[in-house]
Amino acid sequence: MAVLAAGALLQGLAQAQDAGEARARKIIGGSCFLCHGSDGESASEVFPRLAAQNAEYIAKQLENFKSGKRKSTAMASMVENLSAEDMAALGRFYASRPAHHEAARDAPLAEVGRYIYHQGNRFSGVPACSTCHGKEGAGSDSLPRLAGQHAAYLENQLKLFSKRERTNDNAVMHTVVEKMTALEMAAVAEYLSGK
């Protein structure tokens, strides 16, 4: 009897997962793919890669775009009709896609970024990024995966944090980036793009 109940539970979970993926694919096919690609592999450095991003983080960002906590005229219209279930389904779908891997374009700059990411800069007080985002740049439920992201996108986000134009996330980022130079931002972004 217990085996039958367990089998029914597993079958129900699989059906729910299939329904969630179908829901996500329908939403992605309607608009998301235009900027982020059908599997979250954005080809343009303007738009983030969502493949392998943390599911909870994606859902939170979508909710923040919808509520206006995170500003984006393009994203505001894309998320206005999404429910919390839609956002969660999108997060799970993109999290299940394989991560992007390609070598950094500027190896010497990436090497500087590697040092800052893992060691920080004790002379200026910049802490090691790996303290929060992890040794491999995978982030967590509440922090983004940075590994494999477009360098230009990451650098732009750091600049938005430094100008306090991005305020929806961890306030710690404001404290960190206000100490970073433009070179350090570019170097960290370049390093992470090749992880």
Side-chain angles (χ1 to χ4, degrees):
M1 195 65 124
V3 173
L4 290 175
L9 178 63
L10 288 175
Q11 183 179 6
L13 290 173
Q15 288 172 342
Q17 187 176 12
D18 290 345
E21 183 167 331
R23 172 187 239 160
R25 284 191 181 279
K26 183 176 180 183
I27 296 166
I28 291 164
S31 58
C32 305
F33 80 95
L34 295 169
C35 299
H36 300 288
S38 61
D39 277 337
E41 282 299 329
S42 165
S44 170
E45 292 187 345
V46 174
F47 307 111
R49 290 183 170 127
L50 301 178
Q53 186 56 268
N54 301 312
E56 292 84 359
Y57 181 78
I58 288 176
K60 177 188 181 282
Q61 295 308 305
L62 291 170
E63 186 282 321
N64 284 184
F65 282 126
K66 185 172 183 171
S67 71
K69 287 180 186 175
R70 184 168 176 187
K71 308 293 182 208
S72 170
T73 52
M75 283 302 298
S77 64
M78 296 292 165
V79 299
E80 66 186 353
N81 294 321
L82 294 181
S83 68
E85 292 80 17
D86 294 335
M87 295 176 196
L90 287 166
R92 287 189 303 271
F93 175 81
Y94 284 126
S96 73
R97 302 296 100 185
H100 182 82
H101 296 285
E102 81 182 30
R105 294 178 186 166
D106 185 334
L109 183 62
E111 193 56 31
V112 171
R114 183 193 63 74
Y115 182 86
I116 295 164
Y117 184 85
H118 292 287
Q119 305 299 319
N121 181 343
R122 65 185 172 100
F123 299 103
S124 64
V126 173
C129 311
S130 62
T131 303
C132 294
H133 292 281
K135 288 184 179 185
E136 299 303 318
S140 66
D141 289 349
S142 60
L143 295 172
R145 174 187 178 83
L146 303 176
Q149 190 58 265
H150 292 296
Y153 179 80
L154 289 174
E155 186 177 358
N156 184 52
Q157 294 305 302
L158 289 170
K159 288 176 182 177
L160 290 174
F161 276 118
S162 74
K163 294 187 266 186
R164 301 201 184 238
E165 291 178 18
R166 178 152 177 205
T167 58
N168 74 309
D169 278 327
N170 194 332
V172 170
M173 282 302 297
H174 295 143
T175 305
V176 170
V177 295
E178 70 187 12
K179 297 174 185 175
M180 292 180 82
T181 65
L183 174 63
E184 289 171 326
M185 290 181 199
V188 168
E190 187 67 22
Y191 167 68
L192 288 164
S193 73
K195 279 215 46 79

